Amino acid sequence: MARETPVVWMPGGVRTEIHLTSEDTRGACCLLVDYPPVGWSLPAHRHLTEAETIHIVEGDFVTKLDGGRSRLSAGESIHVPRGVIHSGANIGEHPGRRVVLFSPAGMERFFQEAGVPAADSDIDLGAALASAVSHGWEFISDT
């Protein structure tokens, strides 16, 4: 039976739809669709237990991955193996749309926990950071 797709808003104004969860895939993966606004960026980090695959549906992005840099536009994808340092940004002139797959599942719990129900809701950035860390994110400071 189909269910309504949960939508949350993440720091940076990113609308995120949670399409598949651990329960849907027996833990194999979770699937999100997000809409990063113009100027959005995510600092260097790694996921300690999940690999991440990103497919660009709309927009122009740059992804830094393990020391390299890739520009990605509609129709292009990139895979981030578990534990690999990466960052990303919307470098386009328009909001983007990406399909994001985490494997194994579980990362959706971070989005459910840290996200807020509406774009105009306040996000506690400290709580969002703590949630990310508790869900296996490790942020890497620039040196």
Side-chain angles (χ1 to χ4, degrees):
M1 174 180 237
R3 63 171 167 75
E4 184 175 328
T5 300
V7 175
V8 296
W9 292 84
M10 300 303 294
V14 180
R15 180 180 190 272
T16 303
E17 302 167 352
I18 303 170
H19 287 270
L20 293 173
T21 66
S22 300
E23 292 75 26
D24 299 319
T25 67
R26 295 185 183 186
C29 65
C30 66
L31 180 75
L32 314 172
V33 175
D34 69 7
Y35 300 81
V38 173
W40 166 87
S41 65
L42 188 60
H45 66 285
R46 65 176 140 216
H47 306 289
L48 300 177
T49 56
E50 296 88 6
E52 179 179 7
T53 302
I54 304 165
H55 176 75
I56 309 301
V57 178
E58 297 173 352
D60 296 296
F61 293 85
V62 64
T63 298
K64 293 180 182 176
L65 177 65
D66 204 20
R69 176 184 161 108
S70 297
R71 182 183 170 109
L72 300 168
S73 297
E76 297 180 307
S77 302
I78 193 164
H79 179 72
V80 182
R82 174 179 49 90
V84 172
I85 298 170
H86 61 289
S87 63
N90 179 347
I91 58 170
E93 297 179 11
H94 305 285
R97 180 166 46 133
R98 310 178 311 159
V99 175
V100 183
L101 178 82
F102 289 97
S103 177
M107 188 59 72
E108 75 278 7
R109 293 182 189 111
F110 158 69
F111 292 90
Q112 293 164 334
E113 185 175 293
V116 294
D120 60 355
S121 298
D122 289 331
I123 296 178
D124 180 334
L125 294 179
L129 176 60
S131 177
V133 170
S134 76
H135 289 282
W137 295 54
E138 182 180 279
F139 291 92
I140 311 302
S141 63
D142 292 329
T143 56

